[in-house]
Amino acid sequence: ALNNFSLQNISGALNTISQLEDEALLEQAYRASYDFLRDVSTSVLIVNLPEHQENEGLVLALKSQLAKRTVLSAGEQKVFDQIKDLDFSTEGDKKFERKSNQVLDIAVLLPFNYNGGSGVRRLDGNNFVFDLYKGIKMAAEEAKNAGLRVEIRTFDTERKPEVLNKILTDPFMQVADIILGPIYPEESEQVAAFAETRQIPFVNPLSNISLGRASMDYSYLFRPSVSTLSEGILNHNKKLPGKRIAVAYSATSRDELLARQYGEAAARAGFQVVANRKVSARDMRSFFNNLGLESASPGVDQIVIFSDDPNIAAPTFAVVESLSANIPILVMDSWLYFNFASYEMLDVQNFHFVGNNTVSFNKEEVAAFRESFFERFNVYPDLNAHLGYEIIRWISSVINQQRGFDFQDNLNDKGFQEGVLTFGFDFKGSTSNKYVPILNLQEGILEVE
């Protein structure tokens, strides 16, 4: 039945369900019917109603749609009159509301096989999603050992809409208190729509790009949004000398969007954007040369580079080392993780790092996590593993049996929250992290400026 629903074969799904006799299976099947059919055209539901009036999910999905209409056709009104008082000896639609069991139930929906395939055999050693999951798993196990009632169920979306559709009908989704993942935009849109309907918080663990709809009250970014990053950088620009800013950005969707929003905001704030240019690795020397940094009077006061690409960072370091000018350069915090950039190099040059849920390397908790991770996996954690661990620690501190399970209310109450591995979060009145510290290396120590 679930397979037929995911293939939009509604009649086939309903026919299969009608043959079930086991009460527990029927309850799950009716719930799945309600989830799949609540947004299906009423004409399709009405056609299937005569044969399947016993399907409580179908009837309640149709009833809820018709009840919202201000105008009904004669045929729709006739059907609505027949079903509006049906509640199947339950409390009507409440039968299909999300269940509460006083356990922190986390549904992890991640595209482990984002390059195709299925199962675990194809997952290689540099799979960034699997690295993220390792951190998630470690934090969840620690939470259980500490006495927290937490249950995590993990699903591989395979980056396929039909697979994701099937996942969203899994019985665990009826008790889930929060959905973690997926990551990619097309999957996020699909899960966000489900989350809004069911009023379940959905958190994208890695993206900076909001879905862009004002009505999305249950869709969160674990990291700062593009607009928040832009605002945080601009506030720091105001503390630095000069008004002339040059911007370079890579070809990723985040960096292009960030460069556009930041450029517009900087101009409104009274800065002169002397360059705003998309770059690749081979462009960096010409980008710097065009700014006249080797002359006695450079044509720029500050430089901002939006990119997480090591192929852009490497030539940037090389060029900056050869220049005598000590122009402030703002880059993303990902540059701290590149193995070709020594702390000595970053210390001497005038680099400022934009906090994007940055790991605070000086914390004892970070050292302890890294050692525990190494003992378990025989390798030190990468950034994604740190973020996976941190996101579960963050979620479990916000909603739990003691604090209650209202995610946004609890976030508002907490305000700024110190991170376990990172510099911290602030989700008060926001669906993304508002805390964007600008960081600087001082004698090898990463500090907030």
Side-chain angles (χ1 to χ4, degrees):
L2 293 177
N3 282 332
N4 279 319
F5 273 135
S6 66
L7 296 171
Q8 305 301 314
N9 181 5
I10 293 171
S11 296
L14 294 174
N15 288 333
T16 301
I17 291 170
S18 67
Q19 297 172 42
L20 296 175
E21 296 180 358
D22 181 85
E23 288 297 325
L25 280 178
L26 275 171
E27 182 178 351
Q28 291 185 28
Y30 292 158
R31 193 177 293 277
S33 300
Y34 183 68
D35 285 336
F36 266 108
L37 301 177
R38 65 172 67 198
D39 297 317
V40 170
S41 167
T42 55
S43 60
V44 174
L45 301 185
I46 288 172
V47 166
N48 284 281
L49 182 64
E51 279 189 66
H52 303 286
Q53 287 197 39
E54 79 288 349
N55 187 315
E56 302 173 22
L58 166 64
V59 174
L60 290 175
L62 178 57
K63 185 174 113 174
S64 64
Q65 283 205 55
L66 295 178
K68 295 175 185 175
R69 299 268 189 89
T70 54
V71 178
L72 298 176
S73 67
E76 289 173 334
Q77 185 64 57
K78 182 179 179 181
V79 171
F80 186 56
D81 289 340
Q82 294 173 356
I83 67 174
K84 65 181 180 181
D85 295 325
L86 293 177
D87 65 4
F88 302 100
S89 70
T90 71
E91 296 183 34
D93 291 2
K94 290 185 179 179
K95 180 169 185 176
F96 296 94
E97 288 181 352
R98 183 159 51 95
K99 296 177 181 178
S100 176
N101 55 9
Q102 294 303 301
V103 176
L104 174 53
D105 292 301
I106 305 174
V108 178
L109 280 57
L110 292 174
F112 292 94
N113 286 281
Y114 54 87
N115 284 325
S118 60
V120 298
R121 294 189 179 187
R122 287 177 172 264
L123 301 184
D124 53 34
N126 61 353
N127 185 305
F128 78 96
V129 177
F130 193 45
D131 288 334
L132 178 74
Y133 174 69
K134 289 175 186 175
I136 290 171
K137 186 173 178 62
M138 274 193 63
E141 290 175 353
E142 288 182 12
K144 284 185 177 181
N145 292 337
L148 183 67
R149 299 181 64 192
V150 57
E151 181 70 29
I152 288 189
R153 192 74 56 83
T154 307
F155 304 88
D156 182 7
T157 67
E158 300 178 22
R159 210 174 174 182
K160 297 174 183 175
E162 65 274 14
V163 173
L164 188 51
N165 270 334
K166 185 175 179 180
I167 290 170
L168 294 178
T169 66
D170 188 276
F172 187 75
M173 303 304 293
Q174 311 307 322
V175 299
D177 297 295
I178 194 164
I179 303 171
L180 177 55
I183 296 166
Y184 294 105
E186 68 276 11
E187 291 188 315
S188 295
E189 289 276 359
Q190 199 172 346
V191 174
F194 175 86
E196 293 298 315
T197 303
R198 301 307 299 266
Q199 298 184 341
I200 307 172
F202 147 59
V203 181
N204 188 316
L206 299 181
S207 179
N208 298 109
I209 302 178
S210 301
L211 291 174
R213 280 186 260 168
S215 59
M216 289 293 186
D217 296 325
Y218 292 88
S219 297
Y220 292 80
L221 300 177
F222 182 49
R223 288 178 146 176
S225 66
V226 164
S227 59
T228 302
L229 286 172
S230 176
E231 181 182 351
I233 297 168
L234 193 55
N235 287 337
H236 193 72
N237 292 135
K238 297 172 183 177
K239 301 176 184 178
L240 298 174
K243 289 288 186 178
R244 297 170 300 171
I245 298 176
V247 180
Y249 60 94
S250 76
T252 67
S253 55
R254 184 207 67 180
D255 294 335
E256 290 189 352
L257 181 60
L258 187 49
R260 184 173 71 250
Q261 289 194 13
Y262 170 78
E264 293 170 354
R268 289 195 301 269
F271 289 91
Q272 180 187 357
V273 182
V274 298
N276 198 339
R277 175 180 166 188
K278 183 190 293 188
V279 295
S280 62
R282 64 178 179 271
D283 299 324
M284 294 313 297
R285 183 164 291 276
S286 65
F287 172 77
F288 281 99
N289 287 341
N290 291 339
L291 300 176
L293 297 182
E294 294 180 340
S295 68
S297 301
V300 66
D301 302 306
Q302 303 175 39
I303 298 171
V304 181
I305 302 176
F306 296 128
S307 175
D308 293 322
D309 186 352
N311 295 313
I312 287 178
T316 299
F317 288 135
V319 172
V320 170
E321 276 194 300
S322 67
L323 296 173
S324 58
N326 194 28
I327 303 292
I329 303 175
L330 280 77
V331 299
M332 303 306 296
D333 64 355
S334 56
W335 291 39
L336 291 163
Y337 303 95
F338 298 146
N339 56 15
F340 51 78
S342 68
Y343 272 6
E344 289 77 14
M345 180 193 303
L346 300 178
D347 225 341
V348 172
Q349 304 302 330
N350 197 359
F351 281 100
H352 307 255
F353 303 93
V354 179
N356 190 21
N357 288 28
T358 310
V359 175
S360 181
F361 299 105
N362 302 315
K363 287 187 172 184
E364 294 180 1
E365 293 87 348
V366 173
F369 165 69
R370 289 172 61 80
E371 291 303 320
S372 297
F373 192 95
F374 185 84
E375 288 178 9
R376 176 159 186 172
F377 299 109
N378 296 316
V379 65
Y380 283 108
D382 69 355
L383 173 60
N384 290 307
H386 285 82
L387 291 177
Y389 182 89
E390 183 80 334
I391 196 170
I392 295 300
R393 292 293 300 265
W394 170 67
I395 288 172
S396 60
S397 72
V398 174
I399 50 174
N400 49 57
Q401 188 178 8
Q402 288 73 37
R403 293 185 56 85
F405 292 88
D406 192 314
F407 194 58
Q408 187 60 62
D409 277 359
N410 290 356
L411 286 172
N412 291 340
D413 289 343
K414 275 184 170 291
F416 176 79
Q417 182 179 355
E418 184 76 24
V420 177
L421 304 183
T422 68
F423 283 90
F425 319 97
D426 185 358
F427 283 81
K428 187 172 184 177
S430 174
T431 54
S432 68
N433 184 11
K434 296 189 297 182
Y435 185 55
V436 183
I438 305 299
L439 308 164
N440 191 252
L441 276 169
Q442 300 290 337
E443 298 181 356
I445 304 297
L446 193 62
E447 298 179 345
V448 178
E449 292 191 42

